[in-house]
Amino acid sequence: MVDAQSNGSSTSNVVLITGAAGWLGGILAGELLADPKTPNVHLILADIVEPKAPKGAKHALTFKADLTDPKEIAKLYDTEFGTPDTVYCFHGIMSRGSEDNFDLGLKVNIDSIRYMLEAARTRKTASGGLIKFIFTSSLAVYGGPLPPVVDIHTIATPEGAYGMGKLSSELLVNEYSRRGFVDGRILRLPTIVVRPGVPSAATSAFISGIIREPLHGEQAICPVGNGFDSPELSLAAWVASPEITIQNFVIAKHIPAEKFLPHTRVAYLPGFTTTVKEELEALETVAGKDALKLITFKDDPTNRRIVSSWPAKFDNAYPLSLGFTVDQGGMVPVVQRFKDAVEAGLA
């Protein structure tokens, strides 16, 4: 815990991040410290393991919390910093984890989000306004027959437990916003590549793994296809870099509520389409053929089925109209930035 001095005064910005021990939550906390539109930020960071406060934070509280327990959630809204102005609801059980443990997925990905919303509903910010509730959703909400290009009007019909849980919680955030309980913002995330650290339980984890591990000189398993000439490598994904994704998380906090469509607070974040084959080609361009020698193919039909059910091409017009930003240049600059970070000891 970092010492606090202003005790939630009206001049501070109080931000609660759940899932803050995770990679994205940790980076976002640091990014908010540098955001000129969030001066004097007071951070409340919570997760199933106690998060670390970002370097340079003057006002930060860290909590190990069971986010499926309403009493523990209430404590996060009632700290010495006062009621949060903004909540980033990042915690959840990832895609393959939800599919393999259905009951745990329901408990974490639906029930705990409802408890978070209920806590926000019964409180007002220091200025008397609604709490901004920013919920990270997923492309896994989509499934079934899809148009060639998904837009904001495409109906979500998930084909997996993770997508079902995310869509259920989206509906809750929308309803709580419609009723004036919270100021909700729902962000359907692209697959983020390249993620540092150990592989997650996400079905799409290999999309980062086949870049990350070889750039660390380690073996990687590609669960799509049986070799570099496999037709399965044409499997496409909608992706975004971590740098752009974090920028968009901060932007989401500052979008006026009236800019969203009147009937929904959903926005998919901008991204670009890549295939597994294009990823591997980018890896070769940046790191040479030796990097490809570290990849072993082990086709996983379940993994491939789930990922292939997600849309791979979106119309960026709506999210860009809200003020979000997008990667430029495809996979090569994304892989190059990660290689540079590895060589600098930052990834």
Side-chain angles (χ1 to χ4, degrees):
M1 181 182 295
V2 180
D3 186 38
Q5 298 174 0
S6 63
N7 293 321
S9 72
S10 60
T11 58
S12 64
N13 285 275
V14 182
V15 178
L16 166 61
I17 304 174
T18 64
W23 166 62
L24 285 175
I27 297 177
L28 173 62
E31 194 74 11
L32 288 169
L33 293 179
D35 179 29
K37 294 183 179 180
T38 312
N40 193 24
V41 65
H42 286 54
L43 296 170
I44 305 166
L45 309 176
D47 210 330
I48 194 170
V49 296
E50 186 171 355
K52 294 181 180 179
K55 187 176 180 179
K58 295 181 180 179
H59 309 288
L61 302 173
T62 59
F63 295 92
K64 177 182 178 181
D66 178 357
L67 295 168
T68 65
D69 184 342
K71 292 180 180 179
E72 293 203 27
I73 287 172
K75 293 177 183 178
L76 303 177
Y77 283 82
D78 297 326
T79 71
E80 61 203 78
F81 290 167
T83 301
D85 303 290
T86 303
V87 173
Y88 284 94
C89 189
F90 279 11
H91 69 280
I93 299 297
M94 299 301 286
S95 46
R96 190 60 183 261
S98 299
E99 196 70 18
D100 293 343
N101 191 335
F102 181 70
D103 292 321
L104 181 62
L106 293 178
K107 185 177 181 181
V108 176
N109 292 346
I110 301 176
D111 295 341
S112 74
I113 310 305
R114 183 169 63 86
Y115 299 149
M116 290 283 296
L117 285 164
E118 274 296 300
R121 172 186 177 180
T122 58
R123 293 164 174 82
K124 291 291 187 290
T125 67
S127 62
L130 299 178
I131 294 173
K132 289 181 183 176
F133 194 95
I134 301 171
F135 174 65
T136 49
S137 187
S138 167
L139 303 189
V141 301
Y142 297 103
L146 289 166
V149 179
V150 169
D151 65 21
I152 193 61
H153 304 295
T154 301
I155 296 173
T157 54
E159 291 189 81
Y162 180 64
M164 179 279 297
K166 285 295 189 181
L167 183 58
S168 298
S169 290
E170 283 189 12
L171 293 172
L172 287 170
V173 176
N174 263 327
E175 181 64 8
Y176 276 62
S177 298
R178 185 184 72 84
R179 290 180 174 273
F181 297 156
V182 300
D183 178 3
R185 290 105 197 279
I186 299 163
L187 309 180
R188 291 178 179 168
L189 304 188
T191 296
I192 301 168
V193 61
V194 178
R195 287 176 175 262
V198 298
S200 72
T203 311
S204 59
F206 76 92
I207 295 176
S208 281
I210 59 175
I211 303 296
R212 179 184 58 240
E213 269 69 80
L215 290 179
H216 278 284
E218 300 172 0
Q219 293 283 335
I221 294 176
C222 179
V224 175
N226 293 304
F228 290 105
D229 296 325
S230 294
E232 289 85 0
L233 297 189
S234 64
L235 181 117
W238 185 248
V239 303
S241 71
E243 296 85 358
I244 289 294
T245 302
I246 293 295
Q247 288 181 39
N248 284 331
F249 287 159
V250 177
I251 290 169
K253 180 177 181 294
H254 303 302
I255 297 173
E258 59 270 17
K259 289 197 71 174
F260 289 90
L261 293 173
H263 65 284
T264 181
R265 293 301 181 91
V266 169
Y268 48 82
L269 291 188
F272 65 95
T273 302
T274 192
T275 66
V276 177
K277 187 174 183 65
E278 288 168 347
E279 275 200 278
L280 297 175
E281 289 171 348
L283 177 63
E284 182 179 5
T285 297
V286 172
K289 290 185 180 296
D290 285 346
L292 297 183
K293 295 177 181 177
L294 294 169
I295 295 174
T296 300
F297 291 89
K298 187 178 180 181
D299 194 60
D300 182 337
T302 299
N303 192 302
R304 183 157 41 82
R305 176 190 66 79
I306 294 173
V307 175
S308 64
S309 75
W310 302 343
K313 191 170 185 179
F314 286 73
D315 182 350
N316 279 331
Y318 178 62
L320 292 178
S321 77
L322 294 175
F324 292 116
T325 188
V326 66
D327 287 286
Q328 301 293 332
M331 278 303 304
V332 170
V334 173
V335 176
Q336 184 65 59
R337 284 198 300 270
F338 189 77
K339 181 175 182 287
D340 293 344
V342 169
E343 291 173 349
L346 301 174

